Amino acid sequence: MLDRLQIIKQKFDEVSDLIIQPDVIADQKRYVALNKEYKDLKALVEKREEYLNVSGNLTEAQEIIADGSDPEMVEMAKMQLDEAKERLPQLEEEIKFMLIPKDPEDAKNVMVEVRAGTGGDEASIFAGDLFRMYTKYCESKGWRTSVVDISEGTSGGFKEVIFEVTGEDVYGTLKFEAGVHRVQRVPQTETQGRIHTSAATVMVLPEAEEFDVQIDMNDVRIDLFCSSGPGGQSVNTTKSAVRMTHIPTGLVAQCQDEKSQHKNKDKALQVLRSRLYEMELAKKQEEDAAKRNSQVSSGDRSAKIRTYNYPQGRVTDHRIGLTLYDLDGVMNGNIQKLIDELQLVNNTEKLKETEIY
């Protein structure tokens, strides 16, 4: 492990030199990528320093105890030895997890699509609740959210809402939210007080760059139509909304959020590119998950992943068997505990796979 950490230290020193070079600073894309690498490597280098310090303390304490000439020093050395023996295994575990190769997709921004499933009006209301939950969570992380397309439900909420999330390690954090979310509660429209089960589907698409997916615009049909919903005087008067159909795959993307047709075209193309990219990625994820029988694969879109039970105030993630009795907190965006546990299970699987143990 120390050999690997030494290689990382050398790489860190190289990156530290590079990010202060004028030509690198001038190349914004390269500078941003190197800055991210610098931060990731810095965390490992700091952990390496701590590991070397604790190892040094352990050796020093053993030498003082072996010498035994100063009883007071021996007592202090015994305490130092106990602390070092307790901390070293913890550090080793922390370093093992940090050494797991990162998925290159994890740093990407995302398009999140929330769609009402079974349950009629109640499913649309629940889709709206999930949208609110995610936007509040993103806000707490300092990420920026921007609505791309929206289709409102008849009794509130949304039949479908697509929004973009930009920030640091967004896909790596949100990717396990993809799947079917179920809600069990008494609907607002129910007069008998009976509990209904409704569902909404969440898709998390890593945002594709132009060099990730090449789209031949000859394969794309573009339709223009009038925006619907809130938006002032331009709504239903100008054909600013854009729908794009990728003829070879049948994938459709649309955007009507912006008043400018040009901006809507750009956003719709971004969604289309991300959907094409995600289609290929989903195949790869399913193959990877099948190889290691992953509990938390983000490849299966139809899997029921989580239930939100209102009468009992609980949220259960079925993939890892985790139940939290904090439904109000979760619906207000406090989902970090769920995400942490899912990432831990995923990293543990990867750790076994890479045989770092």
Side-chain angles (χ1 to χ4, degrees):
M1 188 171 73
L2 280 171
D3 290 343
R4 288 184 70 182
L5 288 173
Q6 183 54 36
I7 293 164
I8 284 162
K9 172 74 170 69
Q10 288 165 359
K11 179 70 177 166
F12 175 72
D13 291 339
E14 284 172 29
V15 173
S16 301
D17 288 339
L18 275 171
I19 58 171
I20 56 171
Q21 302 298 326
D23 59 325
V24 171
I25 295 166
D27 183 347
Q28 201 56 32
K29 195 166 190 178
R30 191 180 175 206
Y31 181 69
V32 168
L34 280 169
N35 239 326
K36 178 161 180 14
E37 190 177 2
Y38 174 83
K39 275 202 274 188
D40 291 343
L41 292 170
K42 187 170 187 276
L44 260 167
V45 167
E46 284 172 355
K47 201 64 79 174
R48 171 185 174 271
E49 288 302 314
E50 189 185 349
Y51 185 84
L52 291 173
N53 286 337
V54 174
S55 296
N57 289 347
L58 184 126
T59 306
E60 183 187 48
Q62 285 171 333
E63 285 170 358
I64 293 167
I65 292 164
D67 178 74
S69 58
D70 185 336
E72 200 174 313
M73 287 290 285
V74 168
E75 278 307 305
M76 286 173 68
K78 281 179 180 174
M79 286 171 65
Q80 186 172 301
L81 185 70
D82 290 342
E83 282 173 16
K85 278 185 173 176
E86 188 183 349
R87 183 63 184 133
L88 268 182
Q90 293 170 354
L91 271 171
E92 282 172 8
E93 283 301 301
E94 288 167 20
I95 290 166
K96 280 174 188 174
F97 277 108
M98 290 172 84
L99 284 171
I100 296 167
K102 285 203 169 185
D103 187 335
E105 311 302 325
D106 286 355
K108 288 182 182 287
N109 296 325
V110 300
M111 291 283 179
V112 180
E113 304 183 0
V114 183
R115 288 193 185 87
T118 51
D121 287 343
E122 172 61 11
S124 296
I125 293 164
F126 179 51
D129 293 340
L130 288 177
F131 171 63
R132 180 173 169 272
M133 177 182 88
Y134 288 126
T135 49
K136 278 185 167 288
Y137 174 68
C138 292
E139 194 180 304
S140 74
K141 298 282 285 183
W143 296 341
R144 196 172 70 84
T145 57
S146 165
V147 172
V148 173
D149 195 34
I150 222 162
S151 173
E152 293 180 1
T154 50
S155 299
F158 306 106
K159 288 177 188 169
E160 177 184 74
V161 57
I162 301 170
F163 59 102
E164 179 186 25
V165 185
T166 55
E168 196 170 311
D169 289 328
V170 179
Y171 183 66
T173 308
L174 290 179
K175 62 184 175 183
F176 299 122
E177 291 302 300
V180 178
H181 296 242
R182 292 190 313 168
V183 64
Q184 293 170 333
R185 65 184 175 192
V186 177
Q188 296 169 14
T189 51
E190 171 62 59
T191 53
Q192 305 296 316
R194 290 173 299 188
I195 295 167
H196 284 225
T197 299
S198 306
T201 304
V202 175
M203 292 277 288
V204 181
L205 321 179
E207 206 163 80
E209 306 284 343
E210 276 185 57
F211 56 81
D212 290 327
V213 177
Q214 295 294 326
I215 296 177
D216 184 346
M217 293 310 289
N218 293 321
D219 290 337
V220 178
R221 188 179 75 239
I222 299 174
D223 299 305
L224 306 175
F225 59 100
C226 295
S227 295
S228 59
Q233 294 178 344
S234 63
V235 172
N236 295 324
T237 58
T238 57
K239 290 191 174 184
S240 61
V242 175
R243 183 182 297 112
M244 289 186 174
T245 307
H246 187 247
I247 295 158
T249 60
L251 285 173
V252 178
Q254 70 177 41
C255 181
Q256 55 177 328
D257 189 55
E258 304 283 350
K259 289 188 175 71
S260 150
Q261 186 190 106
H262 181 69
K263 284 183 181 175
N264 281 333
K265 267 186 183 173
D266 286 346
K267 276 195 175 182
L269 186 60
Q270 212 172 359
V271 174
L272 189 61
R273 197 182 286 122
S274 294
R275 284 188 182 161
L276 283 164
Y277 186 61
E278 192 271 344
M279 205 164 73
E280 291 306 309
L281 189 63
K283 284 182 201 166
K284 182 181 177 297
Q285 285 173 338
E286 277 168 28
E287 285 165 15
D288 291 349
K291 276 181 205 164
R292 59 185 168 99
N293 195 23
S294 173
Q295 280 176 268
V296 292
S297 161
S298 52
D300 188 356
R301 308 166 184 195
S302 61
K304 287 187 180 71
I305 63 165
R306 200 175 290 153
T307 297
Y308 304 75
N309 184 297
Y310 275 72
Q312 294 173 27
R314 65 174 165 83
V315 180
T316 301
D317 197 290
H318 305 295
R319 294 162 294 180
I320 53 175
L322 175 67
T323 296
L324 300 179
Y325 287 89
D326 180 27
L327 181 68
D328 286 346
V330 166
M331 297 315 291
N332 277 305
N334 189 12
I335 58 171
Q336 193 61 54
K337 171 76 172 160
L338 289 159
I339 286 168
D340 287 345
E341 291 297 322
L342 287 160
Q343 287 179 329
L344 180 64
V345 170
N346 186 56
N347 282 340
T348 305
E349 286 174 357
K350 279 186 179 177
L351 198 57
K352 288 173 184 169
E353 193 182 308
T354 50
E355 296 179 342
I356 296 169
Y357 277 128

